[in-house]
Amino acid sequence: MLFALQYDEILVNALREDLGRAGDLTSNLTVPATARCQANLVARQSGVVAGVEVAARVFRLLDPDIQVERKVDEGARVEAGTSLVHVSGSARTILAGERTALNFLGRMSGISQATATGVAQLNGTRARLVATRKTTPGLRMLEKWAVLSGGGESHRFGLDDGILIKDNHVALAGGVVEALKRVQQGAPHLIKVELEVDNLQQMDEILKVLETDQSLRLDAMLLDNFTPAHLRQAVERVQGRFVLEASGGLTLDRLSEVAASGVDLISLGALTHSVKNFDVALDVIESRVPTSAVH
């Protein structure tokens, strides 16, 4: 679960961006200050939703007196027409927060739905679907949470919670062995170490190095742009000695084929950088304007 203190700053910045310097001019000029209303944030399509609590929080940040009720849980599978959040209170405030709340809810639910679609393709295999750092700058926390809500998992959250040695690191370190030795000397014992390889030949070379020097530490290997056939060969050669991750150029429609190879993880940047927004809307279901405010 996420706590509001972890993401409030993101929401506040989004509200500042939308409200600008003068606030919601249209609502302030057309809606009486004393007008009250009730409204629902509604799913316009079926799927798995995320960001329900985030959307609700938007209205609370604008006005603590707004009454907010979540109608479904994070990660719930809903049908089109389902009410996700109910809000009541100042009509101006609800309209002022509408777009920001819907933006977060639609974006996060789109990620959650895409993840759920991918996870369903992995049924019956050992593979788990993980999201990468290819996220919208500033929104990683919320986008990763949406992946979890859809049944996926996170790869590294940031550069500081895992070691992934890629080709540029190898080149600048002076070789694979030197890179692994430096990691061995300085990596905290709770941090996992993963190495990227581009083909089976590179993988075989690494396996020989690890057999020669068993002091070198490796927890996982990332198989970049391997074909399904080469993935199966990699699984056979490694024989469970460390985690194998398939990555690179993958799409949702290829996941079942990749998972059948026997890899442990499939990382998919498209979960967070190329998803379609989930269709959500705000429907006013009741309004009340004091008689004195009409004149």
Side-chain angles (χ1 to χ4, degrees):
M1 86 181 266
L2 286 177
F3 295 98
L5 61 86
Q6 293 175 276
Y7 58 80
D8 268 359
E9 184 177 1
I10 298 173
L11 308 192
V12 169
N13 286 337
L15 286 167
R16 284 174 176 159
E17 178 182 59
D18 206 27
L19 293 171
R21 295 167 298 177
D24 181 0
L25 289 178
T26 307
S27 297
N28 291 345
L29 292 172
T30 60
V31 178
T34 55
R36 314 271 299 174
C37 77
Q38 296 187 44
N40 289 326
L41 300 184
V42 178
R44 290 284 192 255
Q45 68 179 83
S46 61
V48 177
V49 296
V52 178
E53 176 57 39
V54 171
R57 182 66 177 167
V58 167
F59 297 103
R60 295 193 188 104
L61 286 172
L62 283 172
D63 183 355
D65 291 330
I66 292 286
Q67 299 297 308
V68 182
E69 180 185 3
R70 291 187 303 163
K71 308 297 286 187
V72 301
D73 293 328
E74 298 289 326
R77 185 173 294 278
V78 303
E79 298 300 325
T82 301
S83 295
L84 309 177
V85 180
H86 177 77
V87 293
S88 62
S90 165
R92 284 186 178 181
T93 299
I94 290 172
L95 293 178
E98 173 183 1
R99 177 43 50 197
T100 299
L102 292 176
N103 282 349
F104 282 117
L105 184 57
R107 173 70 178 168
M108 293 178 68
S109 294
I111 292 171
S112 182
Q113 171 58 24
T115 303
T117 299
V119 169
Q121 296 186 48
L122 308 186
N123 287 339
T125 72
R126 64 184 300 160
R128 293 172 290 156
L129 186 61
V130 298
T132 70
R133 289 167 40 244
K134 295 178 181 179
T135 54
T136 307
L139 298 183
R140 182 172 297 169
M141 177 184 300
L142 299 182
E143 293 183 346
K144 291 274 194 175
W145 174 252
V147 169
L148 296 179
S149 297
E153 301 180 22
S154 176
H155 200 269
R156 291 184 295 176
F157 186 86
L159 293 172
D160 62 341
D161 63 355
I163 294 171
L164 175 53
I165 304 171
K166 301 175 72 100
D167 52 356
N168 286 337
H169 299 110
V170 170
L172 294 171
V176 171
V177 174
E178 185 62 26
L180 287 173
K181 284 183 177 179
R182 293 185 181 186
V183 166
Q184 182 70 26
Q185 294 168 359
H189 69 286
L190 292 178
I191 295 293
K192 299 290 186 179
V193 179
E194 184 171 18
L195 175 68
E196 177 188 87
V197 295
D198 296 326
N199 52 59
L200 287 170
Q201 181 181 353
Q202 281 187 351
M203 190 193 77
D204 288 338
E205 292 172 356
I206 298 302
L207 292 178
K208 289 180 180 179
V209 168
L210 295 174
E211 290 173 359
T212 303
D213 188 349
Q214 296 184 1
S215 69
L216 294 177
R217 173 182 168 193
L218 188 63
D219 300 297
M221 184 175 285
L222 187 151
L223 310 174
D224 188 38
N225 286 303
F226 275 45
T227 65
H230 287 167
L231 288 173
R232 286 192 293 272
Q233 292 181 51
V235 171
E236 292 172 0
R237 296 181 193 186
V238 170
Q239 296 182 342
R241 279 174 282 181
F242 41 76
V243 171
L244 287 179
E245 173 188 349
S247 183
L250 301 178
T251 54
L252 283 173
D253 58 354
R254 290 187 55 205
L255 293 186
S256 57
E257 181 184 19
V258 173
S261 69
V263 295
D264 303 286
L265 302 174
I266 302 175
S267 57
L268 188 61
L271 291 178
T272 51
H273 70 57
S274 298
V275 298
K276 182 179 179 181
N277 231 43
F278 198 88
D279 192 3
V280 289
L282 183 142
D283 293 338
V284 173
I285 58 175
E286 182 181 322
S287 61
R288 178 169 57 86
V289 180
T291 305
S292 60
V294 176
H295 301 291

Short mmCIF file of all heavy atoms in Angstrom, two decimals, residues 1-2 7 39-41 49-60 67-76 82-88 105 145 149:
data_model
loop_
_atom_site.label_atom_id
_atom_site.label_comp_id
_atom_site.label_asym_id
_atom_site.label_seq_id
_atom_site.Cartn_x
_atom_site.Cartn_y
_atom_site.Cartn_z
N MET A 1 0.83 -1.19 0.00
CA MET A 1 0.00 0.00 0.00
C MET A 1 0.87 1.24 0.00
O MET A 1 2.02 1.22 0.45
CB MET A 1 -0.96 -0.02 1.20
CG MET A 1 -0.42 0.52 2.51
SD MET A 1 -1.58 0.45 3.90
CE MET A 1 -2.33 2.06 3.83
N LEU A 2 0.32 2.31 -0.51
CA LEU A 2 1.01 3.60 -0.49
C LEU A 2 0.36 4.50 0.55
O LEU A 2 -0.85 4.43 0.79
CB LEU A 2 0.92 4.28 -1.85
CG LEU A 2 1.78 3.71 -2.98
CD1 LEU A 2 1.50 4.47 -4.26
CD2 LEU A 2 3.25 3.78 -2.64
N TYR A 7 3.03 10.43 -1.93
CA TYR A 7 2.70 10.94 -3.26
C TYR A 7 1.98 12.29 -3.25
O TYR A 7 1.68 12.83 -4.32
CB TYR A 7 1.86 9.92 -4.03
CG TYR A 7 0.56 9.52 -3.37
CD1 TYR A 7 -0.58 10.32 -3.46
CD2 TYR A 7 0.44 8.32 -2.68
CE1 TYR A 7 -1.78 9.95 -2.87
CE2 TYR A 7 -0.77 7.93 -2.10
CZ TYR A 7 -1.86 8.75 -2.20
OH TYR A 7 -3.05 8.38 -1.62
N ALA A 39 -21.07 13.64 -7.13
CA ALA A 39 -20.61 13.13 -8.43
C ALA A 39 -19.90 11.80 -8.25
O ALA A 39 -19.41 11.49 -7.15
CB ALA A 39 -19.68 14.15 -9.10
N ASN A 40 -19.85 11.05 -9.32
CA ASN A 40 -19.13 9.77 -9.32
C ASN A 40 -18.04 9.79 -10.39
O ASN A 40 -18.27 10.29 -11.50
CB ASN A 40 -20.08 8.61 -9.62
CG ASN A 40 -21.03 8.32 -8.47
OD1 ASN A 40 -20.67 8.48 -7.31
ND2 ASN A 40 -22.25 7.88 -8.80
N LEU A 41 -16.88 9.26 -10.04
CA LEU A 41 -15.88 8.93 -11.04
C LEU A 41 -16.24 7.54 -11.55
O LEU A 41 -16.30 6.59 -10.76
CB LEU A 41 -14.48 8.94 -10.44
CG LEU A 41 -14.00 10.26 -9.83
CD1 LEU A 41 -12.56 10.13 -9.38
CD2 LEU A 41 -14.15 11.40 -10.81
N VAL A 49 -8.62 -1.64 -12.49
CA VAL A 49 -8.37 -0.23 -12.19
C VAL A 49 -7.31 -0.04 -11.11
O VAL A 49 -7.12 -0.90 -10.25
CB VAL A 49 -9.67 0.49 -11.76
CG1 VAL A 49 -10.67 0.50 -12.90
CG2 VAL A 49 -10.28 -0.16 -10.53
N ALA A 50 -6.66 1.08 -11.17
CA ALA A 50 -5.70 1.50 -10.15
C ALA A 50 -5.74 3.02 -10.06
O ALA A 50 -6.18 3.69 -10.99
CB ALA A 50 -4.29 1.03 -10.51
N GLY A 51 -5.30 3.55 -8.92
CA GLY A 51 -5.31 5.00 -8.73
C GLY A 51 -6.59 5.51 -8.11
O GLY A 51 -6.84 6.72 -8.10
N VAL A 52 -7.40 4.60 -7.57
CA VAL A 52 -8.66 5.00 -6.95
C VAL A 52 -8.39 5.90 -5.75
O VAL A 52 -9.00 6.97 -5.59
CB VAL A 52 -9.47 3.76 -6.53
CG1 VAL A 52 -10.76 4.17 -5.84
CG2 VAL A 52 -9.77 2.88 -7.74
N GLU A 53 -7.46 5.48 -4.90
CA GLU A 53 -7.14 6.28 -3.72
C GLU A 53 -6.47 7.59 -4.11
O GLU A 53 -6.68 8.63 -3.49
CB GLU A 53 -6.23 5.49 -2.78
CG GLU A 53 -5.76 6.26 -1.56
CD GLU A 53 -6.91 6.81 -0.72
OE1 GLU A 53 -7.93 6.10 -0.56
OE2 GLU A 53 -6.78 7.94 -0.22
N VAL A 54 -5.65 7.56 -5.15
CA VAL A 54 -4.97 8.77 -5.62
C VAL A 54 -5.99 9.79 -6.11
O VAL A 54 -5.92 10.98 -5.78
CB VAL A 54 -3.97 8.42 -6.74
CG1 VAL A 54 -3.42 9.69 -7.40
CG2 VAL A 54 -2.83 7.58 -6.18
N ALA A 55 -6.95 9.33 -6.90
CA ALA A 55 -7.99 10.24 -7.40
C ALA A 55 -8.80 10.82 -6.26
O ALA A 55 -9.12 12.02 -6.25
CB ALA A 55 -8.91 9.49 -8.37
N ALA A 56 -9.12 9.98 -5.27
CA ALA A 56 -9.87 10.47 -4.11
C ALA A 56 -9.06 11.52 -3.35
O ALA A 56 -9.61 12.53 -2.88
CB ALA A 56 -10.21 9.29 -3.20
N ARG A 57 -7.78 11.31 -3.26
CA ARG A 57 -6.91 12.23 -2.51
C ARG A 57 -6.84 13.61 -3.16
O ARG A 57 -6.69 14.62 -2.46
CB ARG A 57 -5.50 11.63 -2.42
CG ARG A 57 -4.50 12.44 -1.63
CD ARG A 57 -4.87 12.51 -0.18
NE ARG A 57 -3.85 13.25 0.58
CZ ARG A 57 -4.01 13.68 1.82
NH1 ARG A 57 -5.15 13.45 2.45
NH2 ARG A 57 -3.05 14.33 2.44
N VAL A 58 -6.97 13.67 -4.48
CA VAL A 58 -6.94 14.96 -5.18
C VAL A 58 -7.98 15.90 -4.60
O VAL A 58 -7.70 17.08 -4.31
CB VAL A 58 -7.17 14.75 -6.69
CG1 VAL A 58 -7.48 16.09 -7.37
CG2 VAL A 58 -5.95 14.11 -7.33
N PHE A 59 -9.19 15.40 -4.40
CA PHE A 59 -10.28 16.25 -3.90
C PHE A 59 -10.04 16.64 -2.43
O PHE A 59 -10.35 17.77 -2.03
CB PHE A 59 -11.62 15.53 -4.06
CG PHE A 59 -11.98 15.26 -5.49
CD1 PHE A 59 -11.83 13.99 -6.02
CD2 PHE A 59 -12.44 16.27 -6.31
CE1 PHE A 59 -12.16 13.73 -7.34
CE2 PHE A 59 -12.77 16.04 -7.63
CZ PHE A 59 -12.62 14.76 -8.16
N ARG A 60 -9.49 15.73 -1.65
CA ARG A 60 -9.22 16.04 -0.24
C ARG A 60 -8.16 17.13 -0.11
O ARG A 60 -8.19 17.94 0.81
CB ARG A 60 -8.76 14.78 0.50
CG ARG A 60 -9.82 13.69 0.61
CD ARG A 60 -9.39 12.65 1.63
NE ARG A 60 -10.27 11.49 1.63
CZ ARG A 60 -9.98 10.32 1.10
NH1 ARG A 60 -8.80 10.15 0.51
NH2 ARG A 60 -10.83 9.32 1.15
N GLN A 67 -16.46 15.31 0.90
CA GLN A 67 -16.71 13.93 1.32
C GLN A 67 -16.36 13.00 0.16
O GLN A 67 -16.87 13.16 -0.96
CB GLN A 67 -18.17 13.75 1.72
CG GLN A 67 -18.60 14.63 2.89
CD GLN A 67 -17.83 14.29 4.16
OE1 GLN A 67 -17.76 13.13 4.58
NE2 GLN A 67 -17.24 15.31 4.78
N VAL A 68 -15.48 12.06 0.44
CA VAL A 68 -15.00 11.15 -0.60
C VAL A 68 -15.18 9.71 -0.15
O VAL A 68 -14.83 9.35 0.98
CB VAL A 68 -13.51 11.41 -0.93
CG1 VAL A 68 -13.06 10.48 -2.05
CG2 VAL A 68 -13.28 12.86 -1.30
N GLU A 69 -15.71 8.89 -1.03
CA GLU A 69 -15.88 7.46 -0.72
C GLU A 69 -15.39 6.62 -1.89
O GLU A 69 -15.87 6.74 -3.01
CB GLU A 69 -17.36 7.15 -0.46
CG GLU A 69 -17.61 5.68 -0.13
CD GLU A 69 -19.08 5.36 -0.01
OE1 GLU A 69 -19.92 6.26 -0.23
OE2 GLU A 69 -19.40 4.18 0.28
N ARG A 70 -14.41 5.78 -1.60
CA ARG A 70 -13.95 4.83 -2.63
C ARG A 70 -14.97 3.71 -2.75
O ARG A 70 -15.36 3.10 -1.76
CB ARG A 70 -12.59 4.25 -2.25
CG ARG A 70 -11.45 5.26 -2.30
CD ARG A 70 -10.13 4.55 -2.09
NE ARG A 70 -10.11 3.81 -0.82
CZ ARG A 70 -9.23 2.85 -0.53
NH1 ARG A 70 -8.32 2.50 -1.42
NH2 ARG A 70 -9.26 2.24 0.63
N LYS A 71 -15.36 3.41 -3.96
CA LYS A 71 -16.37 2.38 -4.18
C LYS A 71 -15.77 1.03 -4.54
O LYS A 71 -16.45 0.00 -4.46
CB LYS A 71 -17.33 2.82 -5.30
CG LYS A 71 -17.94 4.21 -5.10
CD LYS A 71 -18.80 4.28 -3.86
CE LYS A 71 -20.11 3.58 -4.03
NZ LYS A 71 -21.03 3.78 -2.89
N VAL A 72 -14.52 1.01 -4.98
CA VAL A 72 -13.84 -0.25 -5.32
C VAL A 72 -12.42 -0.19 -4.78
O VAL A 72 -11.90 0.88 -4.45
CB VAL A 72 -13.80 -0.49 -6.85
CG1 VAL A 72 -15.21 -0.55 -7.43
CG2 VAL A 72 -12.97 0.58 -7.55
N ASP A 73 -11.79 -1.34 -4.69
CA ASP A 73 -10.41 -1.42 -4.21
C ASP A 73 -9.42 -1.27 -5.35
O ASP A 73 -9.76 -1.46 -6.53
CB ASP A 73 -10.18 -2.78 -3.52
CG ASP A 73 -10.98 -2.93 -2.24
OD1 ASP A 73 -11.21 -1.91 -1.56
OD2 ASP A 73 -11.38 -4.07 -1.93
N GLU A 74 -8.18 -0.96 -5.00
CA GLU A 74 -7.11 -0.95 -5.99
C GLU A 74 -6.99 -2.35 -6.60
O GLU A 74 -7.05 -3.36 -5.90
CB GLU A 74 -5.77 -0.57 -5.35
CG GLU A 74 -5.72 0.81 -4.73
CD GLU A 74 -5.73 1.92 -5.77
OE1 GLU A 74 -5.16 1.73 -6.86
OE2 GLU A 74 -6.31 2.98 -5.50
N GLY A 75 -6.82 -2.41 -7.91
CA GLY A 75 -6.67 -3.69 -8.57
C GLY A 75 -7.96 -4.43 -8.82
O GLY A 75 -7.95 -5.58 -9.27
N ALA A 76 -9.11 -3.78 -8.57
CA ALA A 76 -10.40 -4.43 -8.79
C ALA A 76 -10.69 -4.55 -10.29
O ALA A 76 -10.35 -3.65 -11.07
CB ALA A 76 -11.52 -3.65 -8.12
N THR A 82 -19.24 1.16 -13.86
CA THR A 82 -19.00 1.02 -12.43
C THR A 82 -18.55 2.34 -11.82
O THR A 82 -17.65 3.00 -12.36
CB THR A 82 -17.93 -0.05 -12.15
OG1 THR A 82 -18.36 -1.30 -12.69
CG2 THR A 82 -17.68 -0.21 -10.65
N SER A 83 -19.14 2.71 -10.70
CA SER A 83 -18.69 3.89 -9.95
C SER A 83 -17.44 3.53 -9.16
O SER A 83 -17.45 2.55 -8.40
CB SER A 83 -19.79 4.38 -9.01
OG SER A 83 -20.90 4.84 -9.74
N LEU A 84 -16.40 4.30 -9.31
CA LEU A 84 -15.13 4.02 -8.67
C LEU A 84 -14.93 4.87 -7.41
O LEU A 84 -14.41 4.39 -6.40
CB LEU A 84 -13.98 4.27 -9.64
CG LEU A 84 -14.11 3.58 -11.01
CD1 LEU A 84 -12.94 3.95 -11.90
CD2 LEU A 84 -14.20 2.07 -10.84
N VAL A 85 -15.33 6.13 -7.49
CA VAL A 85 -15.20 7.07 -6.38
C VAL A 85 -16.44 7.95 -6.34
O VAL A 85 -16.90 8.42 -7.40
CB VAL A 85 -13.94 7.96 -6.50
CG1 VAL A 85 -13.84 8.92 -5.32
CG2 VAL A 85 -12.68 7.11 -6.61
N HIS A 86 -16.98 8.18 -5.15
CA HIS A 86 -18.11 9.09 -4.98
C HIS A 86 -17.62 10.32 -4.21
O HIS A 86 -16.94 10.19 -3.18
CB HIS A 86 -19.24 8.42 -4.20
CG HIS A 86 -20.40 9.32 -3.93
ND1 HIS A 86 -21.34 9.64 -4.89
CD2 HIS A 86 -20.77 10.00 -2.80
CE1 HIS A 86 -22.23 10.46 -4.38
NE2 HIS A 86 -21.91 10.70 -3.11
N VAL A 87 -17.94 11.50 -4.71
CA VAL A 87 -17.54 12.74 -4.04
C VAL A 87 -18.75 13.63 -3.86
O VAL A 87 -19.68 13.64 -4.68
CB VAL A 87 -16.46 13.51 -4.84
CG1 VAL A 87 -15.15 12.74 -4.86
CG2 VAL A 87 -16.92 13.79 -6.27
N SER A 88 -18.75 14.38 -2.76
CA SER A 88 -19.83 15.34 -2.52
C SER A 88 -19.28 16.53 -1.76
O SER A 88 -18.36 16.40 -0.94
CB SER A 88 -20.97 14.69 -1.73
OG SER A 88 -20.52 14.25 -0.46
N LEU A 105 -6.24 8.70 -12.51
CA LEU A 105 -7.02 7.47 -12.51
C LEU A 105 -6.95 6.78 -13.87
O LEU A 105 -6.78 5.55 -13.95
CB LEU A 105 -8.48 7.79 -12.15
CG LEU A 105 -9.44 6.61 -12.00
CD1 LEU A 105 -8.96 5.62 -10.96
CD2 LEU A 105 -10.84 7.13 -11.63
N TRP A 145 3.11 1.45 -8.80
CA TRP A 145 2.01 0.97 -7.97
C TRP A 145 0.89 0.41 -8.86
O TRP A 145 0.27 -0.61 -8.53
CB TRP A 145 1.48 2.10 -7.10
CG TRP A 145 0.25 1.73 -6.32
CD1 TRP A 145 -1.02 2.16 -6.53
CD2 TRP A 145 0.18 0.82 -5.22
NE1 TRP A 145 -1.88 1.59 -5.63
CE2 TRP A 145 -1.17 0.75 -4.81
CE3 TRP A 145 1.14 0.05 -4.54
CZ2 TRP A 145 -1.60 -0.05 -3.76
CZ3 TRP A 145 0.71 -0.75 -3.49
CH2 TRP A 145 -0.64 -0.79 -3.11
N SER A 149 -0.81 -3.29 -8.84
CA SER A 149 -2.26 -3.45 -8.76
C SER A 149 -2.79 -4.38 -9.85
O SER A 149 -3.81 -5.03 -9.68
CB SER A 149 -2.97 -2.09 -8.86
OG SER A 149 -2.60 -1.26 -7.77
#
